[in-house]
């Protein structure tokens, strides 16, 4: 099984420690976030999952609720379950982050599916309506792991996902 997922915009995600029981044990990864990389939309984890970001090289910004915070090398931030968050790297260099999802739930499968979609389209963000529908279908497929936090986006995603399902627009299977 592939342990390192390299994305088209230069970011990479490496699985360091996998859970024995994803419903109880954490998943530990290293994020190598390219400068200016596409950020995930603001989201939360609905099933009691705490996410920890520990910057090991460089710096990045972390949105928690509605406040951006710069996190430098050597610093760590815990995002409590159900808390709106995302991140971005506007540092001008690659930032390395140790990331822990506790418990893991389906986060590894989500990342593998996201990688397959980004690899198949050559993009880490929607570039046209069909690609957008595939990204939305992917997020909706993992709604027990990741939920869009902003109500207008969540409502639009639900509508687009329904239409995409009727049109049989689906993301590719996960990267193995």
């Amino acid at each position: 099984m592939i342990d390192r997922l390299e994305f088209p915009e230069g970011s990479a995600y490496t699985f360091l420690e996998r859970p024995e029981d994803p419903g109880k044990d954490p998943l530990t990864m290293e994020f190598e976030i390219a400068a200016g990389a596409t950020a995930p939309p603001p989201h939360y984890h609905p099933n009691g999952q705490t996410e920890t970001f520990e910057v090991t090289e460089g710096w990045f910004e972390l949105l928690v609720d509605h406040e951006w915070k710069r996190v430098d090398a050597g610093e760590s931030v815990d995002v409590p379950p159900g808390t709106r968050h995302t991140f971005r790297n506007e540092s001008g260099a690659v930032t390395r982050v140790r990331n822990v999802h506790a418990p893991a739930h389906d986060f590894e499968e989500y990342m593998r599916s996201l990688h397959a979609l980004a690899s198949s389209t050559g993009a880490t963000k929607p570039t046209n309506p069909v690609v957008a529908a595939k990204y939305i279908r992917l997020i909706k497929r993992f709604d027990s792991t990741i939920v869009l936090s902003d109500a207008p986006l969540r409502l639009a995603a639900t509508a687009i996902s329904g239409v995409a399902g009727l049109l049989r627009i689906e993301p590719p299977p996960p990267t193995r």
Side-chain angles (χ1 to χ4, degrees), residues 8-160:
E9 37 72 299
S11 293
Y13 298 82
T14 304
F15 301 105
L16 301 176
E17 298 173 30
R18 290 190 173 90
E20 220 172 276
D21 179 349
K24 294 180 182 176
D25 300 331
L27 169 69
T28 303
M29 302 172 62
E30 179 184 63
F31 295 176
E32 293 175 35
I33 308 166
T38 302
H43 62 278
Y44 66 91
H45 304 292
N47 287 322
Q49 189 177 50
T50 296
E51 188 169 7
T52 301
F53 297 88
E54 177 190 352
V55 178
T56 58
E57 182 180 321
W59 62 271
F60 80 142
E61 293 174 297
L62 184 64
L63 177 71
V64 179
D65 285 324
H66 295 280
E67 184 179 332
W68 286 99
K69 174 186 167 82
R70 179 176 161 148
V71 186
D72 292 302
E75 295 179 335
S76 176
V77 176
D78 291 331
V79 178
T83 301
R84 176 182 190 262
H85 66 284
T86 188
F87 58 85
R88 64 186 179 199
N89 178 6
E90 296 182 351
S91 72
V94 171
T95 296
R96 286 185 168 65
V97 178
R98 181 178 169 90
N99 178 262
V100 179
H101 284 260
H105 294 299
D106 293 331
F107 196 75
E108 180 175 351
E109 189 76 5
Y110 168 71
M111 288 301 298
R112 290 183 179 285
S113 297
L114 186 63
H115 178 258
L117 179 54
S119 297
S120 73
T121 63
T124 54
K125 62 183 175 184
T127 54
N128 63 55
V130 171
V131 173
K134 288 180 180 185
Y135 272 100
I136 288 167
R137 292 289 287 176
L138 174 65
I139 288 171
K140 296 299 274 182
R141 181 181 296 162
F142 287 93
D143 65 357
S144 66
T145 297
I146 184 169
V147 175
L148 298 172
S149 60
D150 299 345
L153 183 57
R154 194 170 52 247
L155 183 61
T158 298
I160 292 167

Side-chain angles (χ1 to χ4, degrees), residues 160-171:
I160 292 167
S161 180
V163 171
L166 291 172
L167 296 174
R168 298 187 178 172
I169 297 171
E170 298 292 339

